[in-house]
Amino acid sequence: ENVSSITFANVNPVAGRTVTCSLKITQDGVGGHTIAWPAFINWANGITPTISGTANSYNRVVFITDDAGVVWDGMVAGQEFS
């Protein structure tokens, strides 16, 4: 189903240190599901990516923070894996 919110829990980033985490987003056999990204994610050029909706495929997204998790830089690491 579509994802309407995302929360990073138990990441415990420390100010002044870089923390990286990744997310694997898998479409089911129907596909076409979407994600509503939270405002605390900073995307390159301010452009929020569109996740691939192909059935049975997956996408990888990487997030990095340097300010204890106040803002996370987000980037798509790959799409249309199967």
Side-chain angles (χ1 to χ4, degrees):
E1 62 185 56
N2 296 333
V3 175
S4 60
S5 67
I6 293 176
T7 302
F8 293 166
N10 300 317
V11 178
N12 300 321
V14 177
R17 295 192 180 175
T18 300
V19 175
T20 304
C21 66
S22 64
L23 177 65
K24 179 180 179 183
I25 304 160
T26 304
Q27 295 284 348
D28 61 14
V30 176
H33 303 294
T34 61
I35 295 180
W37 297 106
F40 63 78
I41 298 176
N42 181 35
W43 300 102
N45 298 312
I47 301 170
T48 304
T50 300
I51 296 303
S52 168
T54 302
N56 298 311
S57 72
Y58 64 93
N59 300 258
R60 292 203 181 265
V61 183
V62 176
F63 303 98
I64 302 171
T65 186
D66 300 308
D67 62 3
V70 175
V71 174
W72 291 82
D73 294 330
M75 61 207 81
V76 176
Q79 294 184 300
E80 294 288 334
F81 292 104
S82 57

